[in-house]
Amino acid sequence: MTKNNNFDPIKVDDNEYKIDHLKDLSLIIDMDCQNGDTRPITVHMRPTNHLFSREVTDDDKANRAKLEGSGHWLNSYIHHEGNYQQVKTPPKIKESRIFCKEKWEYSFLFPKFVALIEETPSHVTVLANAGDDKTCLSGILEIEDRPEEVYLVFFVLTKINSKEANMLIESAYCVDPNVNPKAKKLIKPARDDSKPFVIALRNVMEGRKPLENKKQNSRAHKRRKKNRHK
């Protein structure tokens, strides 16, 4: 997100684009714990400006001054890992991005994705992303009245404490479900490739990888314990 954490409108070419629909989003899910208890878990959302921007191209770099003047040039800042709501002090730029009106329009679908998870946490499936099965996940929102598109959301889940988790939204955009391979897998996932959101959340809250099975975690723990005693 921008350096200002108030989600004030972005001004581009003298037009204002509101982003406050992405502010203060959270959900509460009743999670069945390993000890048999049921506990409400609050998941705090932290969208990044990837939801309304695109990557910087070489042409953009050549025209940086003009893009900065028009408001198109945006910066992402590094946030505290344990609290994505807070930018590190002093602020440090993570990357630069270019405002994208099309993705900004897509961003209004994100609150619906949050509502979908809260309403059906056992039915919303998530996948691990290539190269990162520990934290990076993706989920999908099928758009009402737009069967030719789905909204693909990429995010990271981290535990804050026993009752709270953070969900950093790495990116989100619309794709053709018949062409995009990630969307295809989410719509018709293979048995071991995906997990319901609530299971991924429970894994994270109990110290496992999001898509890890308890048996896998138990075997890994035994191997680590054995290695320590060699």
Side-chain angles (χ1 to χ4, degrees):
M1 194 58 65
T2 58
K3 185 166 59 176
N4 106 56
N5 268 6
N6 296 320
F7 289 73
D8 293 331
I10 296 173
K11 194 170 184 179
V12 180
D13 288 331
D14 295 324
N15 296 313
E16 282 195 345
Y17 296 90
K18 293 183 178 181
I19 55 171
D20 57 359
H21 57 285
L22 302 173
K23 183 180 181 181
D24 294 334
L25 293 174
S26 64
L27 55 86
I28 298 176
I29 293 177
D30 289 329
M31 189 185 78
D32 295 328
C33 303
Q34 203 166 12
N35 62 7
D37 292 340
T38 299
R39 179 187 306 156
I41 304 296
T42 300
V43 183
H44 304 284
M45 304 289 161
R46 179 65 201 196
T48 65
N49 63 15
H50 280 240
L51 272 70
F52 49 84
S53 66
R54 59 169 176 79
E55 66 181 354
V56 175
T57 66
D58 289 338
D59 286 342
D60 295 328
K61 292 175 183 177
N63 292 288
R64 178 169 180 168
K66 182 179 178 181
L67 291 168
E68 285 181 339
S70 66
H72 282 86
W73 192 279
L74 306 175
N75 289 318
S76 292
Y77 290 81
I78 297 173
H79 289 72
H80 289 284
E81 188 170 335
N83 181 7
Y84 292 134
Q85 314 311 318
Q86 295 297 321
V87 173
K88 285 191 173 183
T89 305
K92 292 184 179 180
I93 294 176
K94 179 182 178 182
E95 63 179 331
S96 296
R97 302 277 298 178
I98 303 298
F99 176 78
C100 174
K101 185 178 178 181
E102 183 179 41
K103 289 188 72 176
W104 173 78
E105 291 172 347
Y106 290 157
S107 74
F108 286 88
L109 293 168
F110 181 69
K112 295 181 180 181
F113 177 72
V114 176
L116 177 67
I117 295 176
E118 189 164 34
E119 291 166 6
T120 59
S122 296
H123 296 127
V124 175
T125 57
V126 297
L127 294 172
N129 294 328
D132 188 355
D133 64 349
K134 184 178 180 181
T135 55
C136 245
L137 303 170
S138 54
I140 198 168
L141 170 70
E142 296 189 44
I143 308 168
E144 189 176 352
D145 300 326
R146 288 165 63 182
E148 74 284 358
E149 289 184 304
V150 292
Y151 190 56
L152 198 56
V153 181
F154 297 85
F155 59 92
V156 175
L157 273 175
T158 55
K159 177 181 178 179
I160 302 174
N161 55 48
S162 62
K163 295 183 179 180
E164 293 179 291
N166 271 326
M167 188 166 162
L168 180 69
I169 314 305
E170 298 277 17
S171 190
Y173 45 83
C174 288
V175 298
D176 184 337
N178 298 310
V179 175
N180 186 277
K182 177 69 71 173
K184 285 181 179 180
K185 286 184 179 180
L186 280 162
I187 293 171
K188 294 183 178 179
R191 181 179 176 183
D192 297 326
D193 285 349
S194 66
K195 286 278 191 297
F197 180 88
V198 68
I199 300 300
L201 177 63
R202 185 174 70 188
N203 280 341
V204 169
M205 297 301 289
E206 294 182 350
R208 294 183 293 274
K209 294 179 181 179
L211 271 65
E212 190 171 18
N213 294 321
K214 290 182 181 179
K215 289 181 179 179
Q216 291 174 328
N217 182 266
S218 177
R219 287 196 298 268
H221 175 74
K222 287 177 181 178
R223 285 196 300 270
R224 288 194 295 268
K225 188 174 181 180
K226 184 178 179 182
N227 290 334
R228 283 199 300 269
H229 289 85
K230 280 185 177 179

